[in-house]
């Protein structure tokens, strides 16, 4: 019996940096402008135009590199990657080749199959984005929009470290999280600020040599990452196993993923594979970073996700799962801590955020609609017995929809619980008086009738009694 | 000159002179457009500018808002640049009058202006001969007395060589002294805008105006504009090096006589003269013709008919469009250099050619550093191996044309400033000699040139 | 060493430049001549101690991140040979080509 197939995947991610202007010119880098309005001689590639690098782009690239544990090289060089394509006006892309900004980093993530695993970041370098080609807008023509041309990018390349499409996706989500934390990018695959190409090969488990790799492109969402890689892996295995076990060979090529049919097809070009003829860009002196500059970027990094999660676990006594959810997004983590600082008990607040707050956010465009201080107030009211858990959820929804202070909203809705033992005692007496038979049965040993009595007290009080207090008073009265 | 009527008169007279010398095919701008623009410029110019009313022509590979920028090529026929080169902006701010665009070898690739798509430029003294190149149009206009100065560009000597062949002054600044924003790129690590002038003073004052920092060019040094030195009394205190590799045994006898005469004058003017050696000189042309085409192949990739310029049509798909546009839009010399450049950068050849040429370049630059470190202030050499050659003479063998750059390419490779001035005649044709100076010490270069200009019998037979 | 016709065509394809069959032989000959000439640099041994030479500033200067484009006297519509609805237009790519590079 041959050993099972093992999948080997490497990822190349292109991430747009959060700057207002482009990498080599002062045009706006904003998404969504009318076509060819954010252009100038430089990004149009006009004769005689020259590049001048964006300082913030360099800073954010360094921060990203540090957040990924890379070695940032004090001297790196811009290089030209030469090829012809309609959305590449100069006929070359300014990138980095032999001397990139950063190398030798790593990123740990939670693999669905192997627990916590570390992916190697082979390199991270700066480059400029190309424009956009639209092939379907006009018949027989390609329409070109150069607004995106020149937007700053970092390219992040991993080793062949992933053993399943699921791992690839998990890594990407973690990468997105870290880059968002570092403030480098908003990593929105829908908007194109994060794009990924994958290299996929398969081999028999136990083999050390790598199989022939195939590049997969045109993957446009995190969900499609898994699908596309699964489709390609299955295709390769089918080829290698052949019809009736005959066995073929994998051809090294580039495949394009088609989301509509969930399939991959070859990107066939008429000529041979690209020869990019990289050479150092003579229009740009070397990128030299002083030690102080690099340290400033390190200092500008916030607490990163793993460190924050570990701190939440110890500081707030949360489980690793809860801490992970709370720190998956920096805004959520900050929100949670604001609620705790406003007085909410950490574990309870955690449950509220993970359940009510995030569910509401999911349906409302990721907005955290209830202010952290209000959440803290709600949590305190439940703790103090003034609201039942159920009532509090109602108040939460109300505050999310229409705002207001939880205290006032609860009163307006008549949900404030009665925690006055005297008043509760009256209801208890009423209920016990009305159910003498059940009282006897209880005193004869049917102690589970307690919940029945509690229910009756709730009914009598129209839900206003604090059920815990009611239970206590009942127990006392029934015992006497 | 300090009032608008004088500027207007200067403008009109310049336009007249351009029309009168039409036969030279040096100016690509039509007379009507030229006159209209000059009059408007004269009215708009600031009287306080240091070049107020001075007509200055501009090589057609430098972007101007008035007049098309064709770079002497069909692929940019009729192309109007929507922005202007920093050097031109500075000229205007100084009150100069942009007197049309001058003919040049296509994309500045050539040494005779025979490779222009708009016809060759004639040598002002002998219409059967070339004015040199690639800034042949600028040199011819200055030599013919049409304008006192003109902008050209250097990659391998394209200002100094035509200056030498036409008998005018040509200055190449230190790399990074003048902004390249708006200079259509050919060999980016070699290119500089330079100035041709009827005298050292004319050329130097224009250079002074166009020099200085520019945030739009990352390779332009953060320095103040060049300050003009005063004319020195003599060459007392100067140590002038004579590199033996520039005086080979088979040097043209007239060129040698003219240079010997200059060297005698140096001594008479009080300079110390020393022989030096720049041992890697013989590899300079080969090094240049690897690096410049390599950069050019990349710089010219943008010309594809997609976003500007004419489109050579009938294309079925975009690659066919590119190939047709570039195949028909580029002339033979440009196409040769693009292919050579693509070859030397391609996988399998990069190390043997491009990387090796970069190493050679470092050795050539080191040769100059060593000479200057040994106490030499300036070097003096012939600018060109011969006087102006006949049109068609060097077209059969591309390498023969390349060898006319033999004395000029080294300064471009080393990024150093240099100035060529007329030093004599050979059968009536001008001969040029050049000073090569230390980086950013153009003032010493210009001082020495002033001193030589004053005493050299530039128009007498050598 | 000579450049063959096939090599010239391969390089021409990389450089996206048409070479007609009539022009090919002379072009190959001239390119061979040039490449033979420039190859002489290989007769010089590599020198260990020489600093690599890059003219210009030692380190690149940065531009502040702000929206301040260099001026354009007129926009793409006036520059382009073919322009519609705000887009540059070119004939469509060959059949199988999609996103590249």
């Amino acid at each position: 019996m041959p050993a099972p197939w093992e999948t080997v995947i490497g990822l190349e991610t292109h991430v747009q940096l959060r700057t207002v202007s482009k990498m080599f010119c002062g045009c706006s880098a904003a998404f969504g402008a009318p076509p060819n309005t954010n252009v100038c001689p430089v990004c149009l590639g006009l004769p005689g135009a020259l590049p001048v690098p964006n300082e913030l782009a360099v800073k954010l690239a360094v921060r990203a590199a540090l957040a990924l544990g890379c070695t940032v090289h004090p001297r790196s060089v811009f290089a030209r990657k030469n090829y012809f394509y309609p959305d590449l006006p100069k006929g070359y892309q300014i990138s980095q080749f032999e001397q990139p900004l950063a190398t030798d980093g790593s990123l740990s993530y939670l693999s669905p199959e192997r627990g916590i695993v570390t992916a190697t970041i082979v390199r991270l370098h700066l480059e400029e984005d190309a424009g956009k080609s639209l092939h379907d807008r006009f018949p027989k023509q390609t329409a070109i929009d150069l607004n995106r041309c020149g937007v700053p990018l970092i390219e992040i390349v991993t080793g062949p470290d992933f053993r399943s499409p699921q791992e690839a996706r998990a890594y990407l989500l973690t990468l997105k999280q870290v880059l968002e934390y570092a403030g480098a990018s908003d990593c929105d695959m829908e908007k194109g600020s994060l794009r990924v190409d994958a290299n996929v090969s398969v081999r028999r488990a136990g083999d050390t040599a790598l199989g022939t790799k195939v590049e997969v492109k045109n993957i446009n969402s995190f969900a499609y990452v898994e699908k596309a890689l699964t489709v390609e892996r299955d295709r390769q295995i089918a080829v290698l196993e052949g019809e009736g076990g005959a066995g073929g060979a994998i051809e090294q090529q580039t495949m394009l993923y088609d989301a509509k049919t969930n399939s991959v097809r070859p990107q066939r070009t008429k000529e041979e594979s690209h020869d990019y003829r990289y050479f150092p860009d003579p229009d740009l002196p070397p990128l030299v970073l002083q030690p102080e500059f690099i340290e400033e970027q390190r200092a500008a990094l916030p607490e990163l996700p793993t460190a924050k999660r570990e701190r939440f676990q110890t500081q707030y006594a949360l489980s690793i799962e809860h801490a992970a959810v709370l720190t998956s997004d920096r805004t959520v983590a900050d929100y949670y801590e604001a609620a705790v600082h406003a007085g909410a008990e950490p574990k309870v607040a955690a449950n509220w955020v993970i359940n009510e707050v995030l569910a509401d956010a999911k349906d409302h465009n990721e907005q955290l609609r209830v202010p952290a201080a209000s959440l803290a107030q709600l949590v305190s009211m439940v703790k103090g017995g003034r609201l039942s858990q159920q009532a509090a959820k109602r108040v939460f929804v109300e505050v999310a929809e229409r705002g207001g202070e939880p205290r006032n909203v609860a009163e307006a809705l008549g949900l404030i619980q009665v925690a006055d033992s005297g008043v509760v005692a009256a209801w208890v007496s009423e209920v016990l008086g009305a159910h003498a038979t059940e009282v006897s049965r209880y005193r004869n040993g049917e102690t589970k009738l307690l919940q029945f009595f509690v229910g009756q007290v709730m009914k009598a009080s129209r839900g206003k009694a604090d059920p815990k207090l009611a239970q206590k008073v009942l127990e006392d009265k029934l015992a006497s | 000159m300090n009032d608008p009527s004088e500027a207007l008169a200067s403008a009109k007279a310049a336009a007249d002179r351009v029309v009168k010398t039409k036969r030279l095919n040096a100016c690509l701008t039509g007379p009507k457009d030229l006159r209209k623009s000059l009059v408007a410029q004269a009215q708009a110019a600031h009287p306080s500018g240091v070049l107020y009313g001075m007509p200055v022509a501009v090589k057609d590979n430098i972007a101007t808002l008035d007049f098309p920028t064709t770079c002497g090529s069909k692929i940019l026929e009729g192309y109007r640049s929507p922005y202007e080169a920093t050097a031109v902006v500075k000229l205007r701010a100084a009150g100069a009058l942009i007197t049309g665009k001058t003919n040049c070898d296509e994309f500045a690739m050539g040494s005779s202006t025979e490779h222009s798509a708009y016809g060759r430029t004639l040598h002002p003294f002998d219409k059967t001969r070339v004015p040199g190149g690639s800034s042949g149009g600028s040199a011819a206009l200055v030599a013919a007395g049409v304008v006192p100065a003109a902008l050209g560009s250097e990659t391998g000597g394209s200002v100094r060589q035509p200056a030498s062949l036409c008998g005018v002054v040509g200055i190449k600044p230190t790399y990074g002294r003048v902004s390249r924003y708006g200079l259509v790129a050919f060999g980016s690590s070699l290119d500089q805008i330079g100035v041709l002038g009827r005298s050292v003073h004319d050329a130097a004052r224009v250079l002074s105006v166009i020099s200085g920092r520019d945030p739009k060019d990352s390779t332009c040094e953060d320095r103040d504009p060049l300050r003009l030195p005063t004319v020195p009394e003599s060459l007392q205190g100067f140590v002038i090096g004579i590199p033996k590799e520039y005086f080979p045994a088979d040097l043209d006898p007239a060129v040698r006589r003219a240079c010997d005469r200059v060297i005698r004058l140096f001594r008479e003017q009080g300079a110390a003269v020393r022989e030096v050696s720049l041992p890697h000189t013989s590899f300079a042309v080969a090094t240049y013709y690897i690096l410049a085409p390599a950069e050019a192949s990349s710089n010219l990739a943008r010309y594809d008919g997609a976003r500007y310029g004419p489109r050579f049509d009938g294309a079925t798909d975009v690659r066919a469009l590119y190939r047709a546009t570039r195949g028909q839009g580029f002339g033979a010399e440009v196409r040769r250099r693009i292919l050579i450049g693509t070859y030397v950068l391609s996988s399998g050849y990069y190390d043997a050619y491009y990387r090796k040429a970069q190493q050679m370049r470092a050795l050539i630059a080191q040769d100059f550093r060593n000479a200057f470190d040994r106490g030499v202030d300036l070097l003096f050499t012939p600018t060109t191996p011969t006087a102006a050659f006949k049109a068609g003479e060097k077209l059969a063998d591309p390498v023969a044309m390349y060898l006319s750059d033999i004395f000029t390419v080294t300064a471009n490779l080393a990024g150093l400033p240099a100035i060529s001035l007329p030093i004599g005649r050979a059968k009536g044709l001008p001969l040029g000699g050049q000073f090569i100076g230390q980086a950013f010490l153009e003032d010493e270069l210009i001082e020495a040139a002033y001193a030589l200009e004053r005493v050299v019998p530039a128009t007498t037979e050598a | 060493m000579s450049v063959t016709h096939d090599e010239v065509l391969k390089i021409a394809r990389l450089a996206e430049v048409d070479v007609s069959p009539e022009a090919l032989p002379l072009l190959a000959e001239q390119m061979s001549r040039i490449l033979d000439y420039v190859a002489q640099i290989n007769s010089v041994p590599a020198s260990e101690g020489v600093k690599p030479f890059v003219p210009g500033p030692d380190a690149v200067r940065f531009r502040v991140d702000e929206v301040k484009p260099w001026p354009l006297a007129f926009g793409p519509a006036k520059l382009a040979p073919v322009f519609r609805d705000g887009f540059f237009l070119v004939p469509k790519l060959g059949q199988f080509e999609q996103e590249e590079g």
Side-chain angles (χ1 to χ4, degrees):
Chain A
M1 258 270 349
W5 291 109
E6 178 180 58
T7 316
V8 176
I9 297 169
L11 295 174
E12 248 175 57
T13 314
H14 290 91
V15 176
Q16 282 181 354
L17 297 174
R18 281 179 66 214
T19 57
V20 301
S21 67
K22 294 186 178 182
M23 182 69 219
F24 294 111
C25 66
C27 288
S28 166
F31 180 82
N36 292 305
T37 51
N38 290 338
V39 291
C40 76
V42 180
C43 55
L44 283 171
L46 295 186
L50 293 170
V52 184
N54 180 328
E55 180 177 42
L56 181 61
V58 175
K59 287 183 171 172
L60 294 180
V62 173
R63 287 183 208 172
L66 293 172
L68 294 171
C70 296
T71 303
V72 173
H73 300 294
R75 191 176 186 278
S76 64
V77 171
F78 288 108
R80 295 189 184 178
K81 179 179 182 181
N82 297 282
Y83 66 96
F84 288 85
Y85 201 76
D87 57 26
L88 196 67
K90 297 189 294 295
Y92 61 86
Q93 176 196 28
I94 302 178
S95 177
Q96 296 189 296
F97 183 59
E98 283 183 346
Q99 295 181 68
L101 177 70
T103 53
D104 304 304
S106 64
L107 183 63
S108 296
Y109 65 99
L110 182 61
S111 155
E113 293 106 26
R114 300 189 282 161
I116 302 271
V117 200
T118 303
T120 55
I121 307 279
V122 172
R123 57 187 280 146
L124 182 153
H125 69 248
L126 269 165
E127 58 184 35
E128 55 173 354
D129 211 342
K132 269 201 160 131
S133 295
L134 292 88
H135 303 293
D136 302 312
R137 197 181 165 106
F138 299 98
K140 299 214 206 116
Q141 312 262 50
T142 294
I144 304 168
D145 173 14
L146 296 177
N147 280 350
R148 194 184 70 178
C149 189
V151 168
L153 295 179
I154 41 174
E155 178 175 324
I156 303 169
V157 182
T158 71
D161 300 328
F162 310 104
R163 295 289 168 269
S164 71
Q166 291 70 27
E167 282 198 350
R169 183 184 178 175
Y171 158 83
L172 284 170
L173 290 169
T174 310
L175 179 67
K176 173 180 152 99
Q177 180 194 35
V178 170
L179 293 176
E180 278 177 341
Y181 262 70
S185 174
D186 59 24
C187 295
D188 186 336
M189 276 191 90
E190 260 79 58
K191 282 225 196 97
S193 59
L194 187 152
R195 309 198 283 269
V196 67
D197 298 327
N199 286 309
V200 183
S201 65
V202 298
R203 64 185 175 191
R204 292 286 183 191
D207 275 358
T208 47
L210 291 171
T212 306
K213 68 179 182 200
V214 169
E215 198 184 3
V216 181
K217 294 166 105 85
N218 201 38
I219 304 170
N220 295 328
S221 77
F222 290 104
Y224 289 142
V225 167
E226 232 179 275
K227 292 189 164 157
L229 298 183
T230 303
V231 159
E232 174 57 21
R233 173 201 64 195
D234 292 346
R235 183 194 75 83
Q236 289 192 20
I237 292 173
V239 166
L240 289 168
E241 289 180 341
E243 314 264 298
I250 301 296
E251 192 189 330
Q252 179 164 32
Q253 59 185 321
T254 302
M255 303 293 255
L256 298 175
Y257 178 65
D258 184 335
K260 276 192 276 212
T261 57
N262 193 37
S263 63
V264 288
R265 63 183 161 80
Q267 175 200 295
R268 223 170 282 137
T269 59
K270 289 178 199 150
E271 32 275 308
E272 313 92 49
S273 59
H274 287 296
D275 178 355
Y276 294 118
R277 290 160 277 130
Y278 285 100
F279 69 102
D281 193 332
D283 289 332
L284 291 161
L287 185 58
V288 175
L289 304 175
Q290 300 303 326
E292 303 82 63
F293 179 94
I294 299 177
E295 283 321 300
E296 263 171 38
Q297 305 323 310
R298 199 188 299 276
L301 282 177
E303 181 183 38
L304 292 175
T306 305
K308 199 186 280 288
R309 172 180 57 71
E310 286 169 356
R311 179 171 66 79
F312 275 22
Q313 283 173 253
T314 45
Q315 190 173 343
Y316 305 121
L318 298 175
S319 69
I320 186 174
E321 289 81 18
H322 281 189
V325 175
L326 289 174
T327 57
S328 65
D329 185 291
R330 197 174 150 185
T331 329
V332 172
D334 290 345
Y335 175 90
Y336 169 74
E337 289 206 278
V340 170
H341 289 145
E345 199 273 314
K347 281 190 153 134
V348 177
N351 279 317
W352 272 93
V353 173
I354 291 169
N355 297 305
E356 273 64 44
V357 175
L358 288 182
D360 184 72
K362 192 155 163 223
D363 293 332
H364 294 96
N365 204 23
E366 302 310 322
Q367 274 184 73
L368 304 173
R369 300 197 293 166
V370 174
S374 300
L375 184 71
Q377 204 184 83
L378 258 183
V379 168
S380 301
M381 288 175 77
V382 172
K383 180 153 183 228
R386 295 186 63 213
L387 274 184
S388 69
Q389 183 73 0
Q390 238 183 346
K393 288 187 188 178
R394 259 197 76 191
V395 173
F396 177 89
V397 170
E398 191 60 31
V399 172
E401 288 292 325
R402 279 172 277 273
E405 278 235 3
R407 230 185 310 261
N408 303 332
V409 170
E411 265 185 49
L413 290 176
L415 293 172
I416 303 281
Q417 273 183 169
V418 177
D420 180 334
S421 38
V423 177
V424 173
W427 283 320
V428 166
S429 303
E430 195 190 306
V431 162
L432 293 183
H435 294 95
T437 328
E438 284 77 6
V439 171
S440 301
R441 284 168 61 192
Y442 178 88
R443 285 190 174 135
N444 281 333
E446 289 185 50
T447 50
K448 63 182 193 280
L449 282 169
L450 184 62
Q451 289 313 310
F452 166 74
F453 291 128
V454 170
Q456 291 301 308
V457 169
M458 296 309 293
K459 217 168 120 185
S461 71
R462 287 204 200 93
K464 286 220 170 110
D466 176 356
K468 289 204 222 46
L469 182 58
Q471 179 166 318
K472 184 164 185 306
V473 173
L474 278 166
E475 280 173 335
D476 289 343
K477 274 251 162 86
L478 287 165
S480 63
Chain B
M1 200 178 308
N2 51 19
D3 84 78
S5 63
E6 293 182 71
L8 193 56
S10 169
K12 288 184 170 162
D16 289 343
R17 292 192 298 267
V18 170
V19 171
K20 267 211 339 235
T21 51
K22 212 162 76 142
R23 64 167 191 97
L24 292 178
N25 194 34
C27 181
L28 294 175
T29 308
K32 264 207 350 235
D33 291 335
L34 181 62
R35 200 176 291 275
K36 189 162 160 221
S37 168
L38 279 172
V39 167
Q41 287 183 58
Q43 284 157 354
H46 294 280
S48 58
V50 298
L51 298 179
Y52 183 62
M54 182 188 199
V56 179
V58 172
K59 185 176 179 181
D60 207 21
N61 66 348
I62 297 173
T64 53
L65 286 171
D66 295 351
F67 321 126
T69 300
T70 70
C71 303
S73 179
K74 271 198 340 221
I75 217 171
L76 284 178
E77 186 165 15
Y79 170 71
R80 291 297 289 254
S81 174
Y83 78 98
E84 192 147 78
T86 298
V88 177
V89 172
K90 289 185 175 187
L91 278 180
R92 281 194 209 268
L97 306 174
I98 309 301
T99 309
K101 306 298 285 292
T102 64
N103 199 15
C104 57
D105 283 298
E106 192 181 355
F107 285 106
M109 298 186 202
S111 308
S112 64
T113 312
E114 291 174 287
H115 292 297
S116 167
Y118 301 100
R120 72 176 183 93
T121 295
L122 309 186
H123 192 295
F125 301 173
D126 178 344
K127 67 179 182 216
T128 67
R129 293 181 186 266
V130 300
S134 56
S135 313
S138 285
L141 282 184
V142 173
V146 174
V147 287
L151 296 189
S153 74
E154 280 250 349
T155 308
S158 291
V159 162
R160 290 166 287 149
Q161 187 257 23
S164 173
L165 298 193
C166 287
V168 298
V169 174
I171 309 186
K172 170 207 172 301
T174 312
Y175 185 88
R177 174 66 88 176
V178 177
S179 168
R180 291 188 299 115
Y181 185 74
L183 170 65
V184 179
F186 155 18
S188 317
S189 73
L190 301 152
D191 292 340
Q192 274 290 280
I193 294 177
V195 186
L196 296 102
R198 68 185 163 200
S199 67
V200 172
H201 186 60
D202 283 328
R205 29 200 296 252
V206 171
L207 180 63
S208 167
V209 164
I210 64 173
S211 64
R213 62 178 56 84
D214 184 11
K216 299 188 176 77
D217 174 3
S218 298
T219 59
C220 186
E221 293 258 347
D222 187 20
R223 286 174 187 256
D224 292 336
L226 185 61
R227 268 197 2 236
L228 277 188
T230 50
V231 181
E233 303 264 301
S234 68
L235 284 171
Q236 198 76 38
F238 276 90
V239 180
I240 300 177
I242 310 294
K244 65 182 193 206
E245 291 83 6
Y246 289 64
F247 294 87
D250 60 357
L251 183 63
D252 180 298
V255 173
R256 185 182 292 280
R257 282 196 302 273
C259 289
D260 285 346
R261 185 163 70 183
V262 167
I263 291 169
R264 274 199 307 277
L265 287 168
F266 287 157
R267 293 200 168 97
E268 280 171 28
Q269 290 291 304
V273 177
R274 245 187 248 170
E275 190 185 73
V276 297
S277 172
L278 302 172
H280 296 92
T281 301
S282 64
F283 299 102
V285 173
T287 303
Y288 174 81
Y289 279 100
I290 290 170
L291 296 177
E295 294 182 5
S297 71
S298 178
N299 284 326
L300 270 63
R302 65 191 64 194
Y303 303 109
D304 58 14
R307 295 162 310 283
Y308 45 82
R311 197 175 269 200
F312 294 76
D313 253 317
T316 49
D317 70 45
V318 73
R319 295 214 179 268
L321 170 67
Y322 293 166
R323 288 175 194 165
T325 300
R326 294 162 64 76
Q328 294 169 54
F330 288 138
E333 179 63 32
V334 168
R335 180 169 67 182
R336 256 195 306 270
R337 294 204 198 190
I338 288 174
L339 295 180
I340 294 286
T342 305
Y343 184 93
V344 303
L345 286 175
S346 66
S347 121
Y349 296 109
Y350 181 90
D351 286 330
Y353 287 95
Y354 186 83
R355 204 191 287 278
K356 183 72 195 206
Q358 288 285 43
Q359 290 169 358
M360 287 309 309
R361 183 175 189 177
L363 290 172
I364 288 164
Q366 176 92 301
D367 281 357
F368 282 100
R369 262 200 307 278
N370 292 340
F372 291 130
D373 284 347
R374 287 187 194 124
V376 159
D377 298 312
L378 300 168
L379 302 166
F380 176 79
T381 85
T383 309
T384 51
T386 63
F389 45 92
K390 292 244 187 229
E393 189 183 309
K394 295 190 195 282
L395 290 178
D397 176 12
V399 176
M401 185 72 85
Y402 297 165
L403 289 171
S404 30
D405 297 334
I406 199 164
F407 299 137
T408 48
V409 293
T410 47
N412 303 87
L413 288 169
L416 297 174
I419 183 169
S420 175
L421 54 160
I423 58 171
R425 294 280 168 92
K427 302 206 183 99
L429 293 172
L431 299 173
Q434 68 173 347
F435 291 105
I436 303 173
Q438 299 180 61
F440 297 104
L441 292 183
E442 283 90 341
D443 50 350
E444 286 185 13
L445 200 65
I446 294 168
E447 275 182 9
Y450 275 145
L452 180 62
E453 183 184 48
R454 209 179 34 207
V455 300
V456 74
T459 53
T460 68
E461 288 289 314
Chain C
M1 49 125 292
S2 265
V3 185
T4 65
H5 289 198
D6 274 344
E7 281 181 291
V8 174
L9 289 176
K10 195 176 117 200
I11 295 291
R13 260 202 310 276
L14 256 186
E16 295 287 356
V17 181
D18 262 346
V19 178
S20 69
E22 306 85 62
L24 183 56
L26 180 61
L27 181 57
E29 191 193 303
Q30 287 173 332
M31 281 179 65
S32 295
R33 167 99 177 90
I34 296 168
L35 288 167
D36 285 344
Y37 175 77
V38 300
Q40 64 178 274
I41 60 170
N42 283 305
S43 64
V44 179
S47 200
E48 286 306 315
V50 182
K51 263 177 50 177
F53 178 70
V54 182
D58 288 331
V60 75
R61 293 183 306 269
F62 298 136
R63 181 181 50 82
V64 170
D65 181 40
E66 54 184 356
V67 177
K68 233 169 144 194
W70 306 145
L72 260 181
F74 49 86
K78 256 186 94 177
L79 276 173
V82 184
F83 201 75
R84 211 184 306 158
D85 292 357
F87 292 96
F88 293 100
L89 290 187
V90 294
K92 211 185 226 158
L93 280 170
Q95 194 191 351
F96 294 109
E97 293 188 56
Q98 285 298 317
E99 297 296 298
E100 261 193 36

